[in-house]
Amino acid sequence: MSKKKINVGLIGYQFMGKAHSNAYRQVGRFFDLPVDVHMHTICGRHEEAVKKAAANFGWTNYETDWRKVVANPEIDVIDIATPGNLHAEIAIAAAEAGKAVFCEKPIGNTLEEAKRMLDAVQKAGVPHAVFHNYRKAPAVALAKKLIDDGRLGRIFHMRATYLQDWIVDPNFPLVWRLQKEVAGSGTNGDINAHIIDLGRYLLGEFDEINGLLHTFIKERPLAGEVDGKLGAKATTQMGEVTVDDVAMFMARFKNGALGVFEASRFAVGRKNYNRFEINGSGGSVVFNLERMNELEFYDNTAPNETHGFTLIQATDGCHPYAGHYWPTAHIIGYGETFINLVADAFTNMAEGKRIEPDFIDGYENQRILDAVERSSETKSWIKL
Amino acid sequence: MSKKKINVGLIGYQFMGKAHSNAYRQVGRFFDLPVDVHMHTICGRHEEAVKKAAANFGWTNYETDWRKVVANPEIDVIDIATPGNLHAEIAIAAAEAGKAVFCEKPIGNTLEEAKRMLDAVQKAGVPHAVFHNYRKAPAVALAKKLIDDGRLGRIFHMRATYLQDWIVDPNFPLVWRLQKEVAGSGTNGDINAHIIDLGRYLLGEFDEINGLLHTFIKERPLAGEVDGKLGAKATTQMGEVTVDDVAMFMARFKNGALGVFEASRFAVGRKNYNRFEINGSGGSVVFNLERMNELEFYDNTAPNETHGFTLIQATDGCHPYAGHYWPTAHIIGYGETFINLVADAFTNMAEGKRIEPDFIDGYENQRILDAVERSSETKSWIKL
Amino acid sequence: MSKKKINVGLIGYQFMGKAHSNAYRQVGRFFDLPVDVHMHTICGRHEEAVKKAAANFGWTNYETDWRKVVANPEIDVIDIATPGNLHAEIAIAAAEAGKAVFCEKPIGNTLEEAKRMLDAVQKAGVPHAVFHNYRKAPAVALAKKLIDDGRLGRIFHMRATYLQDWIVDPNFPLVWRLQKEVAGSGTNGDINAHIIDLGRYLLGEFDEINGLLHTFIKERPLAGEVDGKLGAKATTQMGEVTVDDVAMFMARFKNGALGVFEASRFAVGRKNYNRFEINGSGGSVVFNLERMNELEFYDNTAPNETHGFTLIQATDGCHPYAGHYWPTAHIIGYGETFINLVADAFTNMAEGKRIEPDFIDGYENQRILDAVERSSETKSWIKL
Amino acid sequence: MSKKKINVGLIGYQFMGKAHSNAYRQVGRFFDLPVDVHMHTICGRHEEAVKKAAANFGWTNYETDWRKVVANPEIDVIDIATPGNLHAEIAIAAAEAGKAVFCEKPIGNTLEEAKRMLDAVQKAGVPHAVFHNYRKAPAVALAKKLIDDGRLGRIFHMRATYLQDWIVDPNFPLVWRLQKEVAGSGTNGDINAHIIDLGRYLLGEFDEINGLLHTFIKERPLAGEVDGKLGAKATTQMGEVTVDDVAMFMARFKNGALGVFEASRFAVGRKNYNRFEINGSGGSVVFNLERMNELEFYDNTAPNETHGFTLIQATDGCHPYAGHYWPTAHIIGYGETFINLVADAFTNMAEGKRIEPDFIDGYENQRILDAVERSSETKSWIKL
């Protein structure tokens, strides 16, 4: 083929590294992209582990120093899938090196970092993307289309939850995600950020919010290392949990809608319960990530006799992204949301268009995260 | 009021006696009937028990001999809610006495009994009704309306199950429902009869069937009596189970549709799982008695983008029966299906119209039950 | 029987009048009460309408002046099912007349009224009850039992919504429920009050709250009268909506749990969506009034292999209230929640025990309603 | 690595070709296999199309003559994903060439073909596998585990449906799947085969069956060719449909359980509704392919108070296959069932163990398909 080749360098090889690698490996198999994506280099600090990841995930090369990846003239895209405390430094260096920068969410650990990152990519004029992958679930993109088509009319409400339960056990160790200096925040940046992005994507900008952060368990056993993985084992020493277990807020959107958002790691029984409901004068939609191929839609123009929520299987050729995979009702999974995201990103890059979501979205998201934190401290409404 | 008074005499005071009593007590409270229904006399063999039932359920009088009830000139309607072995005798006597006859299903324990009962009411020219109460759930009546309105187009399929699990324990005693000489049959007459009625109601007559009856547990402890209730306690003596634990069949309907029906008391976890699905060229409907206020409807004329099963809450003023009770989505229960049935029965009686369902329905139903039994014995298809 | 007779006088004959009447008519049929409940007198301002209601609902007498009912020495219980602006006057008069007082929720239109009402019944030493009927759904009472049994462990979260959509149409007229001087408030007192009661019932007292009231449509056509029913028809003149369309709040409970509550009449597609979820260290429960016979329960002590939410049909003889009605999985409806409530009320009255919920609950509830209103005005957290 | 390299040759490049290709591409990325799987050659008759498929799917070479692939000494595994009329010839040639043979289901178009294929692989002593991929959904494998662990006790019932609706439109053209000489049969071999396999996998062998095949629409427009794809367009000429639109049967299993199976392409609204329910004395399970990450489990040993169906998200590290992908409740899709199947196949091959399912399963499956066909013709029970 005469397609342009795009070399990707990925920093990070844990959960997100695995998901991003799968996306690069699969994207050209399901999408007819304008470019050829090549998995050039993966990077991590532990040589044995990153070498193994390179082999497992299908990367041609590996590195242990991200600076070398950024400096490598062969590489076109730097993808950052590290813990949050490294995002800013890598992203800014990558932008300055003229690379496109793809970054996990939230882009920074603080609003200030996010601002510097946005400034850097804008100054450098490089493409940039942020991995708010749930926008790219077919059912969510269908919700967006229904809203854009006016099917929901004037929007009154959004209620969103992102509920998990993986740290309910007080003996669960103090892993990096529970340490502010590494993770930046707890549920706020990790999962509240996702539903905030869905709010911005589907309803537009927030106008004001009133938030509450809470930590149920304030001390945990320090994490021990097993097979190079920190946190796989608890030790007997205790340390302070410095992030939130719960982040929730009420909101007013600029379009006049009201919102209620709740993110928690203490919702026992809920594993990945990223659910939202939006009510408008024309209809309503409901999405739940645990059944991510489905969208419920209430059409308020339907006659009373047959009114109700319709369970749409967003797996049809007519639905966003779905036609690239399998026939109707042959479902896709979590991994495909990343494939869809990078498909869009490479396509827009090739066409010189803004990628969505990008660092502007990442920065705007972080403004809300920051406001939730300040609101919780001051116990007051914050205007955005 | 100047409404005509209708005196009812009810034979039987157990589960069905309670449900029928409730229907007579409530029907005039929710429906504006052309007649005044009066709960005149309840009848049962054990005086203490029937006396208590009269007081509990709200009957003016009680009797221990059904013949006296039938002979009572004040009484207009004889309602038969006894075990099946008494139906024919009482019904025929009531018809000969010029009473309207309402009867639990299946009307007889054999096809021959059912025929004699039908002949008797027709000869006497008295009104007659059979308690296939599930027709009267708003969601089922809505399904009927959608079919009658052509919304399902040409019907291809009906699959129906009535699943319970109350006799899975081999130590469950040999109660009357497990004795052919009293109950006539097991699942076939008790619950298969219900889904057969729904098949006839919604799709019309059966053309041919191929059935299978099966008994998983062939011996059980004889039932002991507790507080006048046979079967409340198991004894140590064993007796033979003479009825079917399961009744299932494949069917062709006269309209060309195919059916699959399955009734069982061995479907562990299913308590009252009377569920059907009907597929036609224009759409499909799904009903489940355990969520009896809901009907799922798939409209095949809807655009692909938003196609799916719509969960209709059949509780709106525009839905059959529902407007007589509470506002939308304030659900009704099992008891109300009987209220709806007697409301229809008294209305049609007063207007001189055929009651639906009546003994003709009861007889036609029994023809299928009988065919299933014969088919199971001969292992062959039976033409109806 | 030698049971004591209790004469009830009911003030109000619309929706709530119908539901309360049904409860008094049915309670003795399903429960073996220590007293005989007699439907003595129903009262309303329009003679023709109340006369018809008396006949329809089964009351022996009717009145058009509530003072006469309160003054009637034959009457033991005054039940108040009028719009909120009449509650206080009637309740206080009834208490002073030595009657037991049952009252619809919220008991007063203001906290001050509620306080005077509570003082009156306590001073008079009469029994008192408030119709927070959803406590009495078997599935809700089962949730309470599981919590009391420690099955949910330490409670972390409650999220509750009560969503409806009946006034989304801007042409829907300005009925009494949209007028502050009659209704006291909009969603806050009407439906937020219900989920607040469930919060108090299941988790105990609130510690502090942060609320938001909002009115989406601020002007509506004035209501015209049809057949004595105000609001059945819209006129062309416009009037101001003086109540809230939405009431929502974040909360901290005294037990340390966090709450999110949202009540709306603008949640298109939601008709009676009184849903709550409670998460504790030991497990979680989910209830939805539209499927009120079901409770979802997650048992955190179950092994991982088979963990998940269990769909309990709270219709078994072992579940609260359910054994009084039908066999397992033969569901009950909205009306039965009132039957259960008055069954408990008469039983506790006869035994000289506090009725639950009573005016203390009504008053405590109103403290939250009042705090939500003040918090919304001041945009600040309110300590309770 | 020192792992042995396995070269695969795939015959067929349409829907199944895409799914199998994805499996080979991904299997080594998620599973730590004992071999290195190499996508050596893909084969199809249209050179342009297969060349494109090779590039899209990631095959190193392509061929237009399957005989060359079979003859290629570099290739270890021949995977047959063609229409059914080519299976036998290719499989037998591949076996005779000493290749491992993987084949789509049903293995042959007739029982006689299946027998010859089984004989060929057994005679050649080569590994063989059949793509009954639904066994490999984590939730189905979990059902199998629960049964093997005795959690369902004595099995009473299996009811299974595989419902689709893609040919309800009478103008849908006469594609190869509707022609007996190419497809062998309609729903029987295409989708009934899948639920039959699940029956054999979960309950063991069938004892006798009674079947019914039916064709609702007996004539259709001949298919026209668009872009090399036959059937993409209907022509105006009509041709005879020579396969079944529906295949259903009742069954007795050798373990004494009863079965009801129904496969249809006329179940409007159902797209990929491969659902089964199994009831045993110890509990029940329910699976639905459209929500393939979930298994419902009823545990009959649970106390009445909290009994019900538990919705297990079979996505946990403790569930079969699930741990190879993403964290709990991050779902997988249809494609992963094929990955799991080939992971098992390569592992067992390397360990010299029988692959499951293999041609023995394929042949036994075909015995049931054949019996259903004969039973439908003779309208009688067929002993297996």
Side-chain angles (χ1 to χ4, degrees), chain C residues 143-161:
Chain C
K144 171 70 168 166
K145 180 173 184 301
L146 293 173
I147 290 171
D148 287 350
D149 289 351
R151 302 291 294 274
L152 265 65
R154 174 184 171 190
I155 308 288
F156 298 122
H157 290 290
M158 177 166 182
R159 63 194 64 82
T161 58

Side-chain angles (χ1 to χ4, degrees), chain A residues 142 145-146 149 151 297 303-313 316 318-319 328, chain B residues 142 145-146 149 151 297 303-313 316 318-319 328:
Chain A
L142 175 59
K145 180 174 184 303
L146 293 173
D149 289 352
R151 303 290 293 275
F297 173 51
N304 267 5
E305 186 177 70
T306 53
H307 68 182
F309 279 86
T310 298
L311 186 69
I312 302 169
Q313 299 198 51
D316 196 276
C318 74
H319 294 133
T328 302
Chain B
L142 175 59
K145 180 173 183 303
L146 293 173
D149 289 352
R151 301 291 293 275
F297 172 51
N304 266 5
E305 187 176 70
T306 54
H307 68 181
F309 279 85
T310 298
L311 187 69
I312 303 169
Q313 298 197 52
D316 196 276
C318 74
H319 295 134
T328 302

Side-chain angles (χ1 to χ4, degrees), chain C residues 142 145-146 149 151 297 303-313 316 318-319 328, chain D residues 142 145-146 149 151 297 303-313 316 318-319 328:
Chain C
L142 175 59
K145 180 173 184 301
L146 293 173
D149 289 351
R151 302 291 294 274
F297 172 50
N304 266 6
E305 187 177 70
T306 53
H307 68 183
F309 279 85
T310 298
L311 187 69
I312 302 169
Q313 299 199 51
D316 196 276
C318 73
H319 295 133
T328 302
Chain D
L142 175 59
K145 180 173 183 304
L146 293 173
D149 289 352
R151 302 292 293 275
F297 173 51
N304 266 7
E305 186 176 71
T306 53
H307 67 182
F309 279 85
T310 298
L311 187 69
I312 302 169
Q313 298 198 52
D316 196 276
C318 74
H319 295 134
T328 302

Side-chain angles (χ1 to χ4, degrees), chain C residues 100-125:
Chain C
V101 192
F102 294 2
C103 187
E104 256 306 318
K105 40 55 52 187
I107 57 171
N109 266 3
T110 64
L111 182 57
E112 180 273 338
E113 281 185 0
K115 186 64 171 62
R116 283 197 290 121
M117 291 167 74
L118 174 59
D119 288 347
V121 293
Q122 287 183 329
K123 189 176 165 197

Side-chain angles (χ1 to χ4, degrees), chain D residues 11 23 28 38 45 64 73 83 95 97 108 122 130 190 193 209 227 265 271 283 304 312 322 330 345:
Chain D
I11 323 295
H38 181 57
R45 280 173 304 186
T64 56
Q122 287 184 328
V130 60
D190 186 24
I209 66 93
D227 292 342
R265 292 168 174 164
K271 308 299 175 185
N304 266 7
I312 302 169
H330 292 69

Side-chain angles (χ1 to χ4, degrees), chain A residues 216-239:
Chain A
F216 282 114
I217 294 179
K218 297 185 173 60
E219 262 202 340
R220 289 181 180 274
L222 293 178
E225 201 161 326
V226 171
D227 292 341
K229 282 198 177 181
L230 192 68
K233 210 179 93 183
T235 66
T236 52
Q237 260 188 294
M238 300 298 279

